[in-house]
């Protein structure tokens, strides 16, 4: 056991970040949490290892792709309304999109480490999902249509997307591991986890998570092969009928929530109206400052001057152990528009350009691995799936809340496969069995 622990020592700090998101939060607590503090220690731990081993950290290509957002962020920080707001926003963006992802890339040594992190995502999702299902059954969740039945896990009513995000990540990892070329036992366990996570995802009542998960899973199934896609799609459909329809609870509310997805233009509810209004406000901010935006953390300050009277005073939250709270609407709930309004076109091009480069490299590595029938198909599907989900979800959500640090780990996993793992896996080798990649080989 001690030898096994030492084997995974480099990624244990990253696992700790994931595990801390399973702890209960104080009702009403938002923003940074214990996992964010540990993510800072992960960056420090990685830096100490680099200095101790005197190794070159990343390839020039990796440094360019992962460091590209720094340009737009630095300019937007200088345009902030105050030095404190600029430094605070800069630190948060660097944490989520640069520093923690880079540390994850450097701490992952091979496919074993990668799979351990993927299974950590699944374990966290199962834990949060189980709490969410219990909240629904016992009516101790967040308030939804006057009843405390919304599954939010340990994140509380102020971060209703937290559990939905965690469960979505776990479901995608489980599906990717099930579609890989691992041993039959791992594929069976992964398949069971994927099916089990469908129920808490449904009970989260999160339309954005549903859309992103459905689209991502469909793409993963298509990338894994048409025949397998048809088999898994049939199994997922059957599981959905059993877990949701056969469970006999929440059917009418779920159907109403699903129907509301198609009514976002004809008969939108107040949450959709607020979202459209904030999107329009973000666009107006960008038109006034097209190149550099209004500055980091500038959206709340400029919101009222650019929003119409249709915007409500805030979102009502209660339940899950928290008292009633009117939560202010401080972001457009669209990452692309948030970046565009606060960082301008320059910030969007650098940040989204980095994400697009990771996606292109991930897909290229996936196609090569699939074509060559290599054993790392599961790693390719995990990283590609997580990245696709995140980029789709950014059209409905932005960063904020305790669960945000998990986004940083996701970008780290995607970056490792895109910039390191895919290259090493598809590099021509001798006919002898390929040994496990060493830590030094991965980062040269």
């Amino acid at each position: 056991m001690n030898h096994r622990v030492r084997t995974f020592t480099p990624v244990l700090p990253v696992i700790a970040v994931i595990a801390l998101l399973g702890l209960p939060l104080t009702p009403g607590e938002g923003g940074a949490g214990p996992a964010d503090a540990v993510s800072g220690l992960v960056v420090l731990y990685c830096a100490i290892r680099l200095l101790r081993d005197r190794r070159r950290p990343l390839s020039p290509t990796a440094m360019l792709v992962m460091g590209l957002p720094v340009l737009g962020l630095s300019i937007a920080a200088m345009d902030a309304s105050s030095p404190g707001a600029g430094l605070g926003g800069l630190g948060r963006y660097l944490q989520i999109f640069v520093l923690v992802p880079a540390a994850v890339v450097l701490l992952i040594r091979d496919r074993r480490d990668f799979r351990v992190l993927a299974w950590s995502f699944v374990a966290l999702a199962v834990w949060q999902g189980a709490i969410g299902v219990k909240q629904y059954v016992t009516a101790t969740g967040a308030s939804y249509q006057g009843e405390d039945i919304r599954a939010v896990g340990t994140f509380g009513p102020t971060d209703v997307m937290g559990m939905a995000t965690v469960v979505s990540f776990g479901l995608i990892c489980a599906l990717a591991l099930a579609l890989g070329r691992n041993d039959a036992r791992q594929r069976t366990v992964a398949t069971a986890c994927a099916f089990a996570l469908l129920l808490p995802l449904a009970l989260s009542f999160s339309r954005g998570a549903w859309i992103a998960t459905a689209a991502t899973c469909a793409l993963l199934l298509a990338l894994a092969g048409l025949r397998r896609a048809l088999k898994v799609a049939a199994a997922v459909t059957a599981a959905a009928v059993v877990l949701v329809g056969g469970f006999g609870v929440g059917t009418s509310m779920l159907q109403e929530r699903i129907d509301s997805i198609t009514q976002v233009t004809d008969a939108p509810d107040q949450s959709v109206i607020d979202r459209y209004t904030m999107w329009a406000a973000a666009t107006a901010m960008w038109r006034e400052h097209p190149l550099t935006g209004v500055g980091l953390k500038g959206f709340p300050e400029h919101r009222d001057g650019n929003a119409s009277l249709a915007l409500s005073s805030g979102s009502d939250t209660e339940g899950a152990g928290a008292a009633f709270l009117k939560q202010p609407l401080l972001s457009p709930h669209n990452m692309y528009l948030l970046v565009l309004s606060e960082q301008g076109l320059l910030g969007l091009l650098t940040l989204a350009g980095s994400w697009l480069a990771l996606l292109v490299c991930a897909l290229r590595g996936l196609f090569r691995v699939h074509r060559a029938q290599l054993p790392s198909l599961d790693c390719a599907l995990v990283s590609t799936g997580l990245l696709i989900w995140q980029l789709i979800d950014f059209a409905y959500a932005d960063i904020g809340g305790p669960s945000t640090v998990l986004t940083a780990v996701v970008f780290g996993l995607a970056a490792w496969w895109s910039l390191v793992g895919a290259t090493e896996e598809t590099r021509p080798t001798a006919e002898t069995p390929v040994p496990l990649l060493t830590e030094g080989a991965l980062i040269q």
Side-chain angles (χ1 to χ4, degrees), residues 414-426:
W416 179 83
W417 170 255
S418 300
L419 303 173
V420 179
T423 302
E424 293 289 343
E425 184 69 16
T426 57

Side-chain angles (χ1 to χ4, degrees), residues 136-197:
Y136 178 88
V137 173
T138 59
T140 56
S143 178
Y144 179 77
Q145 295 186 356
E147 299 181 56
D148 294 342
I149 58 172
R150 187 169 190 174
V152 293
T154 63
F155 295 100
T158 58
D159 187 13
V160 293
M161 278 293 295
M163 191 211 74
T165 298
V166 167
V167 170
S168 298
F169 285 155
L171 196 155
I172 290 168
C173 288
L175 178 61
L177 292 166
L179 294 173
R181 300 188 179 97
N182 299 327
D183 61 81
R185 183 177 61 179
Q186 288 193 43
R187 293 200 304 270
T188 301
V189 174
T191 302
C193 291
F195 288 159
L197 291 173

Side-chain angles (χ1 to χ4, degrees), residues 90-111:
L90 179 63
R92 185 61 162 168
Y93 273 95
L94 289 178
Q95 172 204 8
I96 302 302
F97 299 115
V98 180
L99 296 178
V100 174
V104 173
V105 171
L106 293 167
L107 293 175
I108 296 176
R109 297 164 301 174
D110 48 42
R111 296 191 305 270

